[in-house]
Amino acid sequence: YLDTLKKITAELSITSNVEFAGFVKDLRHAEDILVNSALAVATYEEGNPETNFTYYSDQGKIKNYLGCGLPILLSDVPPIAKDLEKNGCGLIIRNDPNEIGRGIIELLLDESKLKFYRENVLSYREKFDWEKIFENTVNEPL
């Protein structure tokens, strides 16, 4: 869809504001891109929970987004979705282009709301810190 997306950005006169990175092989480079971003969008195919493993898996890219301090707009598919919304780290959205667009605009146009979500992400992500996980595991009574 790259050519189609480039055509759309040209038609909207936003080419200078959009970068198509494609697959980024080097995780450090991907993290550099993420830390310089305002928010993340993670859409997942809904489908049947009996055949769609995403309903039961721990999505690595969401952890990367959290690690980089990004509020997340995401589908209500991965198990962490409701917890992120409950903790003010993002918004659950449907896989609808209009709804995704509204979510992006809502956060990008409201600096205080974006800051609120980012601060919540920075607090929430602490639970995934390896040192804290190790410390809590080792200090558990046997």
Side-chain angles (χ1 to χ4, degrees):
Y1 298 109
L2 182 60
D3 291 337
T4 302
L5 294 173
K6 286 183 176 182
K7 182 180 176 191
I8 292 169
T9 59
E11 289 170 358
L12 295 172
S13 301
I14 59 171
T15 304
S16 63
N17 299 320
V18 177
E19 177 185 340
F20 295 100
F23 176 73
V24 180
K25 185 176 179 179
D26 181 358
L27 181 58
R28 284 173 288 186
H29 179 63
E31 289 171 346
D32 287 342
I33 294 169
L34 293 175
V35 298
N36 289 299
S37 299
L39 62 96
V41 178
T43 58
Y44 298 93
E45 185 176 330
E46 293 176 2
N48 183 345
E50 292 183 16
T51 58
N52 184 346
F53 72 92
T54 306
Y55 282 96
Y56 312 102
S57 62
D58 188 22
Q59 301 302 310
K61 73 177 178 179
I62 290 176
K63 297 298 184 355
N64 288 336
Y65 298 155
L66 293 171
C68 293
L70 296 174
I72 307 168
L73 299 175
L74 74 161
S75 308
D76 190 15
V77 176
I80 198 170
K82 284 184 177 50
D83 199 43
L84 291 176
E85 187 171 64
K86 181 180 88 175
N87 285 281
C89 299
L91 299 171
I92 292 176
I93 54 169
R94 287 182 299 116
N95 288 348
D96 171 73
N98 292 321
E99 188 166 335
I100 294 167
R102 278 191 298 275
I104 292 169
I105 291 168
E106 176 184 336
L107 291 180
L108 292 182
L109 291 182
D110 188 336
E111 195 171 317
S112 64
K113 187 179 275 192
L114 186 62
K115 183 180 179 187
F116 167 80
Y117 280 106
R118 182 177 289 272
E119 288 172 354
N120 290 337
V121 166
L122 295 176
S123 296
Y124 181 85
R125 71 181 188 178
E126 293 295 318
K127 69 195 297 185
F128 302 108
D129 181 272
W130 280 113
E131 287 183 27
K132 288 187 180 193
I133 292 171
F134 183 72
E135 184 179 292
N136 291 337
T137 304
V138 171
N139 291 328
E140 289 288 320
L142 299 174

